[in-house]
Amino acid sequence: AGPKEGVQDVDAVLKSTMAWAEDHVVRLGLCPHAKGVVQEGRMRTMVQPEVETEEDARRLFLAEADRLVSTDEDSLPTTLLVLPNLFRDDFEGWNDFTVRLEDDLDEGGELEHVGDDVLIAAFHPRFEFGGLYGEEQVLSYEKRAPYPMVNLLRTAAIDRGIEQGITAQTIADHNEKVLLEEGLAEVERTFKDLTGS
């Protein structure tokens, strides 16, 4: 049985997720790797409302990471796991979970067999960079999404980007600039439209 209060409408979640990818991530250029795979429909997007525990999420993550590394990159460049009922209102719990996931991908971790090939980017509706006030609060929307999500990225794709000068720092600098230019009120309006709330 599903959660009494939980999100169960997979189609609605998928629609919001794809709108977020197009209208927020791609439109603002928040991820240089996103545009092609999103617009060409090559991102595997898995909406899993039945995942309610960290154990279930880890099992799903491992299965999808194994699928990613065993599939040709042209066929499957990236995977987005959308987990609307996992830590939905608990950003600290979500953050702890994703930090543990990253640790497990490192050498010596439980998931190290895929750790050389897979990186993650995590998003949450309540993501917050500490110490931001006023208009600067818009910067937290770099990592905000309508639902908790984990994006499985191929290390090889990130490495190719680095060779072209696309680093974590250049991405962060770009994102700070475009989010501040967009403004907090406009980004909040976009998110309201995405979720219909």
Side-chain angles (χ1 to χ4, degrees):
K4 290 174 188 164
E5 303 294 326
V7 176
Q8 294 299 310
D9 188 341
V10 171
D11 290 340
V13 173
L14 184 59
K15 185 177 177 186
S16 291
T17 299
M18 298 315 294
W20 164 79
E22 284 274 8
D23 300 340
H24 183 64
V25 179
V26 171
R27 184 176 66 81
L28 295 178
L30 299 180
C31 173
H33 308 282
K35 184 175 182 179
V37 295
V38 169
Q39 293 183 338
E40 294 164 15
R42 295 192 305 130
M43 177 172 68
R44 177 173 164 83
T45 305
M46 301 284 294
V47 178
Q48 299 288 303
E50 67 276 13
V51 172
E52 300 173 28
T53 67
E54 183 170 338
E55 184 182 349
D56 287 345
R58 286 173 63 84
R59 196 177 299 121
L60 174 65
F61 175 84
L62 181 56
E64 289 300 321
D66 282 337
R67 176 190 287 262
L68 191 68
V69 299
S70 63
T71 305
D72 177 74
E73 185 174 356
D74 286 338
S75 305
L76 180 60
T78 187
T79 300
L80 185 66
L81 302 181
V82 187
L83 308 171
N85 295 318
L86 184 70
F87 298 115
R88 174 135 193 225
D89 298 314
D90 179 7
F91 170 61
E92 286 187 15
W94 173 259
N95 194 53
D96 289 345
F97 159 64
T98 57
V99 166
R100 283 191 289 272
L101 210 49
E102 288 177 330
D103 287 346
D104 283 343
L105 288 168
D106 287 340
E107 191 174 341
E110 286 181 30
L111 305 174
E112 78 168 310
H113 67 287
V114 293
D116 286 342
D117 301 303
V118 177
L119 295 169
I120 65 168
F123 304 91
H124 192 275
R126 296 190 177 185
F127 181 92
E128 207 155 300
F129 286 118
L132 298 180
Y133 303 96
E135 272 299 309
E136 283 190 336
Q137 291 174 84
V138 74
L139 300 181
S140 290
Y141 282 85
E142 180 184 27
K143 300 284 186 184
R144 280 200 191 170
Y147 305 98
M149 303 181 191
V150 177
N151 190 191
L152 285 69
L153 305 163
R154 290 179 181 268
T155 306
I158 304 301
D159 289 345
R160 286 196 302 273
I162 291 170
E163 287 170 8
Q164 297 165 11
I166 302 169
T167 66
Q169 189 59 54
T170 62
I171 294 169
D173 291 346
H174 165 83
N175 291 352
E176 180 176 349
K177 180 175 180 287
V178 296
L179 285 166
L180 288 170
E181 285 173 355
E182 187 80 350
L184 183 59
E186 185 59 35
V187 173
E188 286 179 339
R189 190 158 38 246
T190 298
F191 266 65
K192 208 167 188 178
D193 290 344
L194 293 178
T195 56
S197 60

PDB file of all heavy atoms in Angstrom, residues 24 28 30 129 135-143 172-184 187 191:
ATOM      1  N   HIS A  24      13.513  25.463 -16.469  1.00  0.00           N
ATOM      2  CA  HIS A  24      14.425  25.959 -15.442  1.00  0.00           C
ATOM      3  C   HIS A  24      15.872  25.584 -15.782  1.00  0.00           C
ATOM      4  O   HIS A  24      16.695  26.455 -16.040  1.00  0.00           O
ATOM      5  CB  HIS A  24      14.015  25.408 -14.069  1.00  0.00           C
ATOM      6  CG  HIS A  24      14.840  25.919 -12.937  1.00  0.00           C
ATOM      7  ND1 HIS A  24      14.867  27.243 -12.562  1.00  0.00           N
ATOM      8  CD2 HIS A  24      15.701  25.273 -12.091  1.00  0.00           C
ATOM      9  CE1 HIS A  24      15.695  27.404 -11.526  1.00  0.00           C
ATOM     10  NE2 HIS A  24      16.211  26.220 -11.223  1.00  0.00           N
ATOM     11  N   LEU A  28      17.832  28.220 -18.390  1.00  0.00           N
ATOM     12  CA  LEU A  28      18.843  29.044 -17.728  1.00  0.00           C
ATOM     13  C   LEU A  28      20.262  28.509 -17.931  1.00  0.00           C
ATOM     14  O   LEU A  28      21.219  29.153 -17.532  1.00  0.00           O
ATOM     15  CB  LEU A  28      18.538  29.156 -16.225  1.00  0.00           C
ATOM     16  CG  LEU A  28      17.236  29.882 -15.860  1.00  0.00           C
ATOM     17  CD1 LEU A  28      17.027  29.868 -14.355  1.00  0.00           C
ATOM     18  CD2 LEU A  28      17.237  31.314 -16.388  1.00  0.00           C
ATOM     19  N   LEU A  30      21.623  25.854 -16.509  1.00  0.00           N
ATOM     20  CA  LEU A  30      22.206  25.515 -15.207  1.00  0.00           C
ATOM     21  C   LEU A  30      23.100  24.277 -15.267  1.00  0.00           C
ATOM     22  O   LEU A  30      23.958  24.094 -14.409  1.00  0.00           O
ATOM     23  CB  LEU A  30      21.098  25.309 -14.170  1.00  0.00           C
ATOM     24  CG  LEU A  30      20.202  26.527 -13.906  1.00  0.00           C
ATOM     25  CD1 LEU A  30      19.153  26.186 -12.860  1.00  0.00           C
ATOM     26  CD2 LEU A  30      21.027  27.739 -13.483  1.00  0.00           C
ATOM     27  N   PHE A 129      21.275  26.645   0.342  1.00  0.00           N
ATOM     28  CA  PHE A 129      22.646  26.998   0.701  1.00  0.00           C
ATOM     29  C   PHE A 129      22.550  27.838   1.965  1.00  0.00           C
ATOM     30  O   PHE A 129      21.745  28.768   2.035  1.00  0.00           O
ATOM     31  CB  PHE A 129      23.305  27.826  -0.403  1.00  0.00           C
ATOM     32  CG  PHE A 129      23.683  27.045  -1.630  1.00  0.00           C
ATOM     33  CD1 PHE A 129      23.119  27.343  -2.861  1.00  0.00           C
ATOM     34  CD2 PHE A 129      24.616  26.015  -1.563  1.00  0.00           C
ATOM     35  CE1 PHE A 129      23.470  26.633  -4.005  1.00  0.00           C
ATOM     36  CE2 PHE A 129      24.969  25.290  -2.703  1.00  0.00           C
ATOM     37  CZ  PHE A 129      24.394  25.608  -3.922  1.00  0.00           C
ATOM     38  N   GLU A 135      17.807  38.739  -2.016  1.00  0.00           N
ATOM     39  CA  GLU A 135      17.852  38.242  -3.399  1.00  0.00           C
ATOM     40  C   GLU A 135      18.786  37.058  -3.568  1.00  0.00           C
ATOM     41  O   GLU A 135      18.589  36.231  -4.452  1.00  0.00           O
ATOM     42  CB  GLU A 135      18.293  39.365  -4.357  1.00  0.00           C
ATOM     43  CG  GLU A 135      17.167  40.214  -4.891  1.00  0.00           C
ATOM     44  CD  GLU A 135      16.145  39.423  -5.712  1.00  0.00           C
ATOM     45  OE1 GLU A 135      16.528  38.682  -6.638  1.00  0.00           O
ATOM     46  OE2 GLU A 135      14.950  39.553  -5.420  1.00  0.00           O
ATOM     47  N   GLU A 136      19.820  36.972  -2.711  1.00  0.00           N
ATOM     48  CA  GLU A 136      20.780  35.860  -2.831  1.00  0.00           C
ATOM     49  C   GLU A 136      20.124  34.489  -2.634  1.00  0.00           C
ATOM     50  O   GLU A 136      20.674  33.476  -3.054  1.00  0.00           O
ATOM     51  CB  GLU A 136      21.915  36.018  -1.821  1.00  0.00           C
ATOM     52  CG  GLU A 136      22.963  37.043  -2.206  1.00  0.00           C
ATOM     53  CD  GLU A 136      24.180  36.968  -1.299  1.00  0.00           C
ATOM     54  OE1 GLU A 136      24.040  36.483  -0.152  1.00  0.00           O
ATOM     55  OE2 GLU A 136      25.257  37.394  -1.730  1.00  0.00           O
ATOM     56  N   GLN A 137      18.946  34.467  -2.003  1.00  0.00           N
ATOM     57  CA  GLN A 137      18.271  33.188  -1.775  1.00  0.00           C
ATOM     58  C   GLN A 137      17.955  32.470  -3.085  1.00  0.00           C
ATOM     59  O   GLN A 137      17.758  31.259  -3.108  1.00  0.00           O
ATOM     60  CB  GLN A 137      16.979  33.403  -0.984  1.00  0.00           C
ATOM     61  CG  GLN A 137      17.219  33.829   0.452  1.00  0.00           C
ATOM     62  CD  GLN A 137      15.919  34.160   1.149  1.00  0.00           C
ATOM     63  OE1 GLN A 137      15.245  33.261   1.651  1.00  0.00           O
ATOM     64  NE2 GLN A 137      15.542  35.421   1.164  1.00  0.00           N
ATOM     65  N   VAL A 138      17.930  33.232  -4.186  1.00  0.00           N
ATOM     66  CA  VAL A 138      17.662  32.619  -5.487  1.00  0.00           C
ATOM     67  C   VAL A 138      18.730  31.582  -5.846  1.00  0.00           C
ATOM     68  O   VAL A 138      18.474  30.651  -6.612  1.00  0.00           O
ATOM     69  CB  VAL A 138      17.558  33.705  -6.593  1.00  0.00           C
ATOM     70  CG1 VAL A 138      18.935  34.262  -6.959  1.00  0.00           C
ATOM     71  CG2 VAL A 138      16.868  33.156  -7.834  1.00  0.00           C
ATOM     72  N   LEU A 139      19.927  31.696  -5.278  1.00  0.00           N
ATOM     73  CA  LEU A 139      21.022  30.780  -5.621  1.00  0.00           C
ATOM     74  C   LEU A 139      20.712  29.342  -5.189  1.00  0.00           C
ATOM     75  O   LEU A 139      21.237  28.398  -5.778  1.00  0.00           O
ATOM     76  CB  LEU A 139      22.339  31.261  -5.000  1.00  0.00           C
ATOM     77  CG  LEU A 139      22.797  32.666  -5.443  1.00  0.00           C
ATOM     78  CD1 LEU A 139      24.105  33.035  -4.788  1.00  0.00           C
ATOM     79  CD2 LEU A 139      22.910  32.749  -6.966  1.00  0.00           C
ATOM     80  N   SER A 140      19.859  29.174  -4.197  1.00  0.00           N
ATOM     81  CA  SER A 140      19.482  27.823  -3.780  1.00  0.00           C
ATOM     82  C   SER A 140      18.711  27.083  -4.878  1.00  0.00           C
ATOM     83  O   SER A 140      18.652  25.848  -4.881  1.00  0.00           O
ATOM     84  CB  SER A 140      18.645  27.865  -2.497  1.00  0.00           C
ATOM     85  OG  SER A 140      19.450  28.257  -1.397  1.00  0.00           O
ATOM     86  N   TYR A 141      18.142  27.838  -5.825  1.00  0.00           N
ATOM     87  CA  TYR A 141      17.375  27.202  -6.903  1.00  0.00           C
ATOM     88  C   TYR A 141      18.273  26.507  -7.925  1.00  0.00           C
ATOM     89  O   TYR A 141      17.773  25.834  -8.820  1.00  0.00           O
ATOM     90  CB  TYR A 141      16.464  28.226  -7.582  1.00  0.00           C
ATOM     91  CG  TYR A 141      15.220  28.509  -6.767  1.00  0.00           C
ATOM     92  CD1 TYR A 141      15.233  29.458  -5.757  1.00  0.00           C
ATOM     93  CD2 TYR A 141      14.056  27.792  -6.984  1.00  0.00           C
ATOM     94  CE1 TYR A 141      14.102  29.704  -4.993  1.00  0.00           C
ATOM     95  CE2 TYR A 141      12.914  28.026  -6.227  1.00  0.00           C
ATOM     96  CZ  TYR A 141      12.949  28.988  -5.234  1.00  0.00           C
ATOM     97  OH  TYR A 141      11.828  29.215  -4.469  1.00  0.00           O
ATOM     98  N   GLU A 142      19.575  26.623  -7.756  1.00  0.00           N
ATOM     99  CA  GLU A 142      20.486  25.820  -8.570  1.00  0.00           C
ATOM    100  C   GLU A 142      20.262  24.334  -8.286  1.00  0.00           C
ATOM    101  O   GLU A 142      20.425  23.487  -9.173  1.00  0.00           O
ATOM    102  CB  GLU A 142      21.940  26.191  -8.266  1.00  0.00           C
ATOM    103  CG  GLU A 142      22.955  25.405  -9.057  1.00  0.00           C
ATOM    104  CD  GLU A 142      24.402  25.710  -8.672  1.00  0.00           C
ATOM    105  OE1 GLU A 142      24.644  26.108  -7.520  1.00  0.00           O
ATOM    106  OE2 GLU A 142      25.269  25.533  -9.529  1.00  0.00           O
ATOM    107  N   LYS A 143      19.898  24.021  -7.042  1.00  0.00           N
ATOM    108  CA  LYS A 143      19.750  22.627  -6.607  1.00  0.00           C
ATOM    109  C   LYS A 143      18.327  22.295  -6.179  1.00  0.00           C
ATOM    110  O   LYS A 143      18.088  21.284  -5.534  1.00  0.00           O
ATOM    111  CB  LYS A 143      20.695  22.346  -5.429  1.00  0.00           C
ATOM    112  CG  LYS A 143      22.161  22.553  -5.737  1.00  0.00           C
ATOM    113  CD  LYS A 143      22.716  21.436  -6.548  1.00  0.00           C
ATOM    114  CE  LYS A 143      24.222  21.574  -6.731  1.00  0.00           C
ATOM    115  NZ  LYS A 143      24.755  20.544  -7.590  1.00  0.00           N
ATOM    116  N   ALA A 172      29.329  26.880 -11.569  1.00  0.00           N
ATOM    117  CA  ALA A 172      28.836  27.633 -10.410  1.00  0.00           C
ATOM    118  C   ALA A 172      28.814  29.136 -10.703  1.00  0.00           C
ATOM    119  O   ALA A 172      27.852  29.833 -10.346  1.00  0.00           O
ATOM    120  CB  ALA A 172      29.706  27.338  -9.187  1.00  0.00           C
ATOM    121  N   ASP A 173      29.859  29.641 -11.353  1.00  0.00           N
ATOM    122  CA  ASP A 173      29.920  31.071 -11.683  1.00  0.00           C
ATOM    123  C   ASP A 173      28.789  31.455 -12.631  1.00  0.00           C
ATOM    124  O   ASP A 173      28.119  32.482 -12.455  1.00  0.00           O
ATOM    125  CB  ASP A 173      31.273  31.424 -12.319  1.00  0.00           C
ATOM    126  CG  ASP A 173      32.433  31.325 -11.328  1.00  0.00           C
ATOM    127  OD1 ASP A 173      32.172  31.249 -10.111  1.00  0.00           O
ATOM    128  OD2 ASP A 173      33.594  31.305 -11.788  1.00  0.00           O
ATOM    129  N   HIS A 174      28.585  30.620 -13.666  1.00  0.00           N
ATOM    130  CA  HIS A 174      27.499  30.881 -14.627  1.00  0.00           C
ATOM    131  C   HIS A 174      26.148  30.870 -13.924  1.00  0.00           C
ATOM    132  O   HIS A 174      25.310  31.761 -14.141  1.00  0.00           O
ATOM    133  CB  HIS A 174      27.509  29.816 -15.734  1.00  0.00           C
ATOM    134  CG  HIS A 174      26.244  29.804 -16.542  1.00  0.00           C
ATOM    135  ND1 HIS A 174      26.029  30.660 -17.583  1.00  0.00           N
ATOM    136  CD2 HIS A 174      25.107  29.048 -16.416  1.00  0.00           C
ATOM    137  CE1 HIS A 174      24.824  30.436 -18.089  1.00  0.00           C
ATOM    138  NE2 HIS A 174      24.251  29.461 -17.401  1.00  0.00           N
ATOM    139  N   ASN A 175      25.926  29.859 -13.077  1.00  0.00           N
ATOM    140  CA  ASN A 175      24.636  29.713 -12.428  1.00  0.00           C
ATOM    141  C   ASN A 175      24.338  30.868 -11.481  1.00  0.00           C
ATOM    142  O   ASN A 175      23.200  31.355 -11.409  1.00  0.00           O
ATOM    143  CB  ASN A 175      24.553  28.367 -11.701  1.00  0.00           C
ATOM    144  CG  ASN A 175      24.511  27.204 -12.672  1.00  0.00           C
ATOM    145  OD1 ASN A 175      24.402  27.391 -13.887  1.00  0.00           O
ATOM    146  ND2 ASN A 175      24.609  25.999 -12.150  1.00  0.00           N
ATOM    147  N   GLU A 176      25.358  31.314 -10.769  1.00  0.00           N
ATOM    148  CA  GLU A 176      25.171  32.476  -9.883  1.00  0.00           C
ATOM    149  C   GLU A 176      24.738  33.690 -10.698  1.00  0.00           C
ATOM    150  O   GLU A 176      23.793  34.398 -10.337  1.00  0.00           O
ATOM    151  CB  GLU A 176      26.471  32.777  -9.129  1.00  0.00           C
ATOM    152  CG  GLU A 176      26.347  33.967  -8.196  1.00  0.00           C
ATOM    153  CD  GLU A 176      27.594  34.214  -7.367  1.00  0.00           C
ATOM    154  OE1 GLU A 176      28.493  33.342  -7.347  1.00  0.00           O
ATOM    155  OE2 GLU A 176      27.660  35.276  -6.728  1.00  0.00           O
ATOM    156  N   LYS A 177      25.403  33.917 -11.816  1.00  0.00           N
ATOM    157  CA  LYS A 177      25.097  35.070 -12.671  1.00  0.00           C
ATOM    158  C   LYS A 177      23.669  35.009 -13.218  1.00  0.00           C
ATOM    159  O   LYS A 177      22.896  35.969 -13.100  1.00  0.00           O
ATOM    160  CB  LYS A 177      26.113  35.124 -13.821  1.00  0.00           C
ATOM    161  CG  LYS A 177      25.924  36.268 -14.800  1.00  0.00           C
ATOM    162  CD  LYS A 177      27.077  36.278 -15.806  1.00  0.00           C
ATOM    163  CE  LYS A 177      26.943  37.415 -16.807  1.00  0.00           C
ATOM    164  NZ  LYS A 177      25.892  37.196 -17.806  1.00  0.00           N
ATOM    165  N   VAL A 178      23.289  33.861 -13.803  1.00  0.00           N
ATOM    166  CA  VAL A 178      21.967  33.798 -14.448  1.00  0.00           C
ATOM    167  C   VAL A 178      20.832  33.793 -13.429  1.00  0.00           C
ATOM    168  O   VAL A 178      19.769  34.383 -13.678  1.00  0.00           O
ATOM    169  CB  VAL A 178      21.829  32.590 -15.416  1.00  0.00           C
ATOM    170  CG1 VAL A 178      22.800  32.713 -16.571  1.00  0.00           C
ATOM    171  CG2 VAL A 178      21.952  31.264 -14.714  1.00  0.00           C
ATOM    172  N   LEU A 179      21.044  33.160 -12.281  1.00  0.00           N
ATOM    173  CA  LEU A 179      19.990  33.137 -11.270  1.00  0.00           C
ATOM    174  C   LEU A 179      19.766  34.527 -10.673  1.00  0.00           C
ATOM    175  O   LEU A 179      18.619  34.948 -10.460  1.00  0.00           O
ATOM    176  CB  LEU A 179      20.306  32.112 -10.182  1.00  0.00           C
ATOM    177  CG  LEU A 179      20.104  30.655 -10.590  1.00  0.00           C
ATOM    178  CD1 LEU A 179      20.748  29.709  -9.582  1.00  0.00           C
ATOM    179  CD2 LEU A 179      18.617  30.319 -10.746  1.00  0.00           C
ATOM    180  N   LEU A 180      20.848  35.262 -10.413  1.00  0.00           N
ATOM    181  CA  LEU A 180      20.700  36.624  -9.891  1.00  0.00           C
ATOM    182  C   LEU A 180      20.045  37.528 -10.929  1.00  0.00           C
ATOM    183  O   LEU A 180      19.230  38.391 -10.589  1.00  0.00           O
ATOM    184  CB  LEU A 180      22.058  37.182  -9.455  1.00  0.00           C
ATOM    185  CG  LEU A 180      22.630  36.574  -8.166  1.00  0.00           C
ATOM    186  CD1 LEU A 180      24.074  37.020  -7.949  1.00  0.00           C
ATOM    187  CD2 LEU A 180      21.768  36.947  -6.952  1.00  0.00           C
ATOM    188  N   GLU A 181      20.393  37.324 -12.210  1.00  0.00           N
ATOM    189  CA  GLU A 181      19.762  38.111 -13.274  1.00  0.00           C
ATOM    190  C   GLU A 181      18.275  37.781 -13.384  1.00  0.00           C
ATOM    191  O   GLU A 181      17.448  38.669 -13.596  1.00  0.00           O
ATOM    192  CB  GLU A 181      20.447  37.843 -14.626  1.00  0.00           C
ATOM    193  CG  GLU A 181      21.801  38.514 -14.768  1.00  0.00           C
ATOM    194  CD  GLU A 181      22.526  38.100 -16.044  1.00  0.00           C
ATOM    195  OE1 GLU A 181      22.021  37.216 -16.772  1.00  0.00           O
ATOM    196  OE2 GLU A 181      23.606  38.653 -16.308  1.00  0.00           O
ATOM    197  N   GLU A 182      17.922  36.512 -13.250  1.00  0.00           N
ATOM    198  CA  GLU A 182      16.524  36.094 -13.336  1.00  0.00           C
ATOM    199  C   GLU A 182      15.718  36.674 -12.174  1.00  0.00           C
ATOM    200  O   GLU A 182      14.581  37.111 -12.353  1.00  0.00           O
ATOM    201  CB  GLU A 182      16.450  34.558 -13.328  1.00  0.00           C
ATOM    202  CG  GLU A 182      15.078  34.001 -13.582  1.00  0.00           C
ATOM    203  CD  GLU A 182      14.686  33.971 -15.051  1.00  0.00           C
ATOM    204  OE1 GLU A 182      15.399  34.555 -15.896  1.00  0.00           O
ATOM    205  OE2 GLU A 182      13.647  33.374 -15.344  1.00  0.00           O
ATOM    206  N   GLY A 183      16.319  36.659 -10.993  1.00  0.00           N
ATOM    207  CA  GLY A 183      15.679  37.241  -9.816  1.00  0.00           C
ATOM    208  C   GLY A 183      14.815  36.247  -9.060  1.00  0.00           C
ATOM    209  O   GLY A 183      14.200  35.347  -9.643  1.00  0.00           O
ATOM    210  N   LEU A 184      14.765  36.442  -7.740  1.00  0.00           N
ATOM    211  CA  LEU A 184      14.063  35.510  -6.857  1.00  0.00           C
ATOM    212  C   LEU A 184      12.569  35.419  -7.189  1.00  0.00           C
ATOM    213  O   LEU A 184      12.010  34.325  -7.266  1.00  0.00           O
ATOM    214  CB  LEU A 184      14.257  35.937  -5.399  1.00  0.00           C
ATOM    215  CG  LEU A 184      13.642  35.033  -4.325  1.00  0.00           C
ATOM    216  CD1 LEU A 184      14.209  33.623  -4.409  1.00  0.00           C
ATOM    217  CD2 LEU A 184      13.889  35.618  -2.935  1.00  0.00           C
ATOM    218  N   VAL A 187      11.969  33.354 -10.438  1.00  0.00           N
ATOM    219  CA  VAL A 187      12.247  31.926 -10.262  1.00  0.00           C
ATOM    220  C   VAL A 187      11.173  31.282  -9.389  1.00  0.00           C
ATOM    221  O   VAL A 187      10.703  30.171  -9.677  1.00  0.00           O
ATOM    222  CB  VAL A 187      13.657  31.708  -9.670  1.00  0.00           C
ATOM    223  CG1 VAL A 187      13.884  30.244  -9.333  1.00  0.00           C
ATOM    224  CG2 VAL A 187      14.721  32.180 -10.654  1.00  0.00           C
ATOM    225  N   PHE A 191       8.618  28.145 -10.427  1.00  0.00           N
ATOM    226  CA  PHE A 191       8.425  26.937  -9.626  1.00  0.00           C
ATOM    227  C   PHE A 191       6.958  26.758  -9.237  1.00  0.00           C
ATOM    228  O   PHE A 191       6.454  25.633  -9.193  1.00  0.00           O
ATOM    229  CB  PHE A 191       9.329  26.942  -8.395  1.00  0.00           C
ATOM    230  CG  PHE A 191      10.625  26.233  -8.628  1.00  0.00           C
ATOM    231  CD1 PHE A 191      11.546  26.719  -9.534  1.00  0.00           C
ATOM    232  CD2 PHE A 191      10.938  25.063  -7.963  1.00  0.00           C
ATOM    233  CE1 PHE A 191      12.740  26.058  -9.785  1.00  0.00           C
ATOM    234  CE2 PHE A 191      12.126  24.384  -8.204  1.00  0.00           C
ATOM    235  CZ  PHE A 191      13.031  24.892  -9.120  1.00  0.00           C
TER     236      PHE A 191
END
